[in-house]
Amino acid sequence: MTDTWKTINSLASNLSSRSQLPIEQQWLVQVVKLQEECGEVAEAAIGALGENPRKGFSHSWDDVRSEACDVIVTGMVLLARMGGDPEWFFREHLRTLAARPTNQPKEA
């Protein structure tokens, strides 16, 4: 995952260096960008099912996968732009999620 986080941190740094907004407004813009990407994955899923009467089957399931990747990367960039150690924070959050009772195997 280290190479992944190097890439994410580089993307985050590049975006931050281009912005003239105060830091918390930069975070807010990144949150809005994340929401935009969520909308795109939803649009792709609707298109893969052919459920938009105007567009029909406008997307494939690979398009949905690609848009889901954009959501993940954008979320990771948000985490990186907020400072601290995003890799540690993400790893600890995954541990918390994995430890929830709903993630434990059922007893026989």
Side-chain angles (χ1 to χ4, degrees):
M1 270 280 209
T2 302
D3 287 342
T4 298
W5 280 105
K6 283 181 183 176
T7 301
I8 294 298
N9 287 329
S10 176
L11 291 169
S13 178
N14 185 288
L15 288 170
S16 294
S17 72
R18 294 171 181 258
S19 180
Q20 296 180 6
L21 295 174
I23 192 70
E24 289 182 352
Q25 287 182 11
Q26 291 181 37
W27 299 346
L28 180 59
V29 168
Q30 192 67 34
V31 168
V32 173
K33 180 63 179 171
L34 179 59
Q35 184 60 42
E36 176 189 26
E37 295 297 344
C38 289
E40 290 177 11
V41 76
E43 179 182 16
I46 290 167
L49 293 170
E51 287 298 309
N52 183 329
R54 292 181 296 111
K55 297 180 181 178
F57 288 92
S58 58
H59 292 77
S60 69
W61 288 108
D62 279 345
D63 294 328
V64 177
R65 288 180 185 93
S66 179
E67 295 297 345
C69 287
D70 287 347
V71 170
I72 293 164
V73 169
T74 303
M76 292 173 80
V77 167
L78 169 61
L79 192 58
R81 290 183 81 181
M82 293 184 78
D85 185 345
E87 185 175 1
W88 175 88
F89 194 90
F90 187 75
R91 185 175 53 249
E92 291 303 308
H93 190 72
L94 280 177
R95 280 193 190 122
T96 300
L97 293 175
R100 288 184 178 170
T102 57
N103 294 326
Q104 303 304 315
K106 291 183 180 181
E107 292 183 24

